Amino acid sequence: MDRRGAPRKAVLAELREARDDDLHFSDGRIFGSMCTDPLPIARRAHAMFLETNLGNPGYYKGTWRLERKVLESLSRLLQGTNLGGFTVSGATEGNITALWMARNVTHRKTVVYADTAHFSIRKAIDLLGMRGVEVGHDEEYRLDVDTLRKKITKETAAVVAVAGTTELGQVDPIDEIGDLCQGRAFFHVDAAFGGFVLPFLEDLGVRVPPWDFRVPGVSSLVLDAHKMGMATIPASHLLVREAKHFARIAVESPYLTSVYQTSLLGTRNSAGVAAAYAATRFLGRDGYRKLVAKCMRNTKIIAARAEQAGLKLAIPPVMNVLAIRVRDVEGVQRALDAKGWKVSTSRNPPAIRVVVMPHITARHATHFADDFVSACGKVGED
Ligand code: PLP
């Protein structure tokens, strides 16, 4: 660090220069991220709550009230009653906390999850000294329930399923898994992406098998406000059916205004709580439904164009994530990159992964789809 501070103007110029080097969602070029431009009202809320810290809730009664209100509104959305929970920094923290709770509630250490689950599950297992058992998927890339049935044993602490897989946006058969887990294991649903999509797909009349707290076996669920929730980073929510289970991960917090702390993090960024509150209050179910409808329309523009060109999708789009099979995945990704399009790739199956978030307009989707098909032609895909 320099001995003397720099002038404000110089610091701001450096910040602007750095920001100019970043990519921006508003350019409509980013198809490789599950995040998006937060709503303007969510940005405003974030800025109003910058120094709030729900790690010390006694000082921030207003912020705490907002957190409770978001929890109540999401509990209703996900059809739970008297759920426990709080806002976390992301699904990674939510997944770690849920498995921490599962380990301490069951006094067991084995976690069973599909090979399509997000890598944060493996982080959690490692951190918590647990043992992971991976099960395969069916031909639609959903956790294979028949294999799961054989893998649940007396040692199983938790089963993890996904509502909106990272690579394909697929939903595991949560209701069937819930039946298997009830009375036998803690069942955590990772709805990081799907949590803010599936309820609104249902509102749009899409038939979605039960995947939330309607399924009696579901113990906990995480959903990210900083993905399709339209809030700012970091904001995600962990909801737990039996609030009393938090006692199993409680640690005394002597110098703070709370007697116990049940969050993994000490100081908790609470601007995300305000942003999530603002987004959910401002949009309501109708607002999210419209956003999801737009994302699905744009997803279908790209899917239809790819299929017209003879390309195959890994699965028909369940939500606004597409995996388009190509032989030379890196080659197509490079060709798209050269045209300024940012996509990511999936490993299972090898494909170009396209996430169609709310910052993508129909014009962006059409333009991208044309360039995608021509990039595939250039690298020799048929
Ligand atoms: N779970 C799923 C299904 C995800 O798709 C992601 C991220 O994309 C995560 C967990 C991790 O979420 P975060 O980055 O908010 O920690």
Side-chain angles (χ1 to χ4, degrees), residues 312-325:
K312 295 249 176 322
L313 306 178
I315 53 167
V318 176
M319 40 187 98
N320 44 329
V321 182
L322 282 177
I324 308 167
R325 288 174 181 273

Side-chain angles (χ1 to χ4, degrees), residues 192-246:
F193 192 73
F196 277 101
V197 178
L198 292 169
F200 314 113
L201 278 179
E202 290 189 67
D203 287 353
L204 287 164
V206 177
R207 208 191 72 77
V208 179
W211 60 279
D212 52 15
F213 287 97
R214 275 169 292 183
V215 177
V218 169
S219 313
S220 60
L221 188 151
V222 70
L223 72 166
D224 273 356
H226 61 215
K227 292 189 168 81
M228 285 296 286
M230 305 303 292
T232 53
I233 298 170
S236 176
H237 310 281
L238 173 66
L239 305 176
V240 176
R241 190 185 292 276
E242 301 275 350
K244 65 173 192 241
H245 287 340
F246 278 106

Side-chain angles (χ1 to χ4, degrees), residues 128-149:
L128 294 165
M130 296 177 89
R131 188 175 81 89
V133 174
E134 234 175 68
V135 300
H137 52 265
D138 62 18
E139 68 282 3
E140 296 274 288
Y141 297 90
R142 283 183 292 239
L143 184 149
D144 181 19
V145 179
D146 288 333
T147 315
L148 177 69
R149 191 171 286 116

